[in-house]
Amino acid sequence: MKSHLRVHYFQHIAGEGFGSCYSFLKAHHATISSTEFFALPVDRSLEIEALPQIDEVDLLLVMGGTMSVNDEANYPWLKIEKRWLRRYLAAGKPAIGLCLGGQLIANALGAAVSRNRYQELGWSTVQRVANLPQDSFPLPEKIKVMQWHSETFEIPKGAIHLAENIACRNQMYQIGKNVLGFQFHPEMTPATLELLLENEEELSIFNGEYVQPVSELQYSEAQKFEQGNQLLNKAIEFVINA
């Protein structure tokens, strides 16, 4: 993988941070910067010029969040973020979207994001879609990952549908060889999960057969996170080497 990457990430909630790939990218001497959308006053407009210059970003990671991509009335910066994403993606540059981030990339490209039939919160298994093209991202046949979502994306036009499970059909997609969108959270770490589990208001909206009790999630073994973390590292290498 190319060293000295200029990596930028879009952060939507305080404290979430960069997830598991921070140490992986730092080992490759990456320079990491961020845009903290959560810190922007909701009553002030954001100018697109305030976001990074596209030619100064080698890899973009779009992180998760508790808001909906459709909630532009309450989060007016969503319009600007999606407009910037369209410009960035049109330039053919590497990007990875994680949960809300995957929804934002899909929505920026015209795909709908809507309420999923089931809410997912906790550890679940996703499966690789059958008969993928030969140049698809090399997913394992099955992988256990962390889920935390109520909405889901449609697969963008021209994208490859990569992964699914019984609760949510669209779990991952690929655009060209430089963009990967995840519905789940491969970046999740024990520290991040601990932080998210402190948000009682957020937890209170989740229920149903695919929602794992907090009492179980609090005791998630460290090795459970490793599969997703390693998958994300491979995803970074894949889009960078496109």
Side-chain angles (χ1 to χ4, degrees), residues 22-49:
Y22 180 84
S23 57
F24 174 74
L25 288 166
K26 278 298 185 182
H28 289 84
H29 310 289
T31 301
I32 299 172
S33 59
S34 67
T35 298
E36 297 178 338
F37 287 101
F38 65 88
L40 297 172
V42 295
D43 58 348
R44 283 179 54 191
S45 60
L46 172 69
E47 299 297 329
I48 199 166
E49 290 77 14

Side-chain angles (χ1 to χ4, degrees), residues 66-239:
T66 56
M67 65 288 296
S68 168
V69 303
N70 301 309
D71 201 4
E72 295 176 355
N74 289 321
Y75 303 95
W77 44 261
L78 281 167
K79 288 183 180 179
I80 303 302
E81 181 177 7
K82 285 185 270 189
R83 188 186 306 168
W84 189 93
L85 283 170
R86 282 191 288 273
R87 293 184 183 181
Y88 181 87
L89 297 168
K93 307 203 74 172
I96 291 175
L98 304 169
C99 198
L100 175 72
Q103 295 171 0
L104 278 164
I105 291 174
N107 193 240
L109 296 175
V113 173
S114 59
R115 183 90 174 176
N116 192 50
R117 180 179 179 184
Y118 302 105
Q119 293 179 308
E120 287 192 283
L121 196 162
W123 298 103
S124 76
T125 299
V126 299
Q127 294 86 32
R128 184 180 66 225
V129 171
N131 302 316
L132 289 173
Q134 198 167 16
D135 59 352
S136 299
F137 175 67
L139 270 174
E141 184 178 352
K142 294 182 180 181
I143 185 169
K144 183 160 279 191
V145 293
M146 173 58 64
Q147 302 276 5
W148 196 303
H149 70 102
S150 298
E151 295 188 322
T152 187
F153 46 69
E154 294 297 322
I155 302 299
K157 185 177 181 180
I160 300 169
H161 181 202
L162 292 176
E164 61 189 356
N165 73 2
I166 192 170
C168 179
R169 183 171 184 271
N170 296 335
Q171 290 284 352
M172 190 175 174
Y173 62 83
Q174 173 183 330
I175 301 171
K177 288 188 177 180
N178 60 301
V179 179
L180 291 170
F182 295 79
Q183 184 55 77
F184 51 93
H185 285 278
E187 84 288 1
M188 191 68 70
T189 65
T192 306
L193 180 59
E194 182 180 1
L195 176 72
L196 294 175
L197 291 176
E198 293 175 359
N199 189 340
E200 294 182 4
E201 182 179 356
E202 168 73 4
L203 290 168
S204 69
I205 68 171
F206 280 85
N207 60 77
E209 59 185 297
Y210 299 104
V211 175
Q212 193 174 353
V214 172
S215 57
E216 294 179 11
L217 291 171
Q218 288 173 327
Y219 296 100
S220 297
E221 301 92 346
Q223 62 264 30
K224 276 193 170 181
F225 299 84
E226 292 175 3
Q227 283 191 70
N229 296 170
Q230 291 170 6
L231 182 71
L232 180 55
N233 292 347
K234 291 177 181 176
I236 290 170
E237 291 181 324
F238 183 83
V239 299

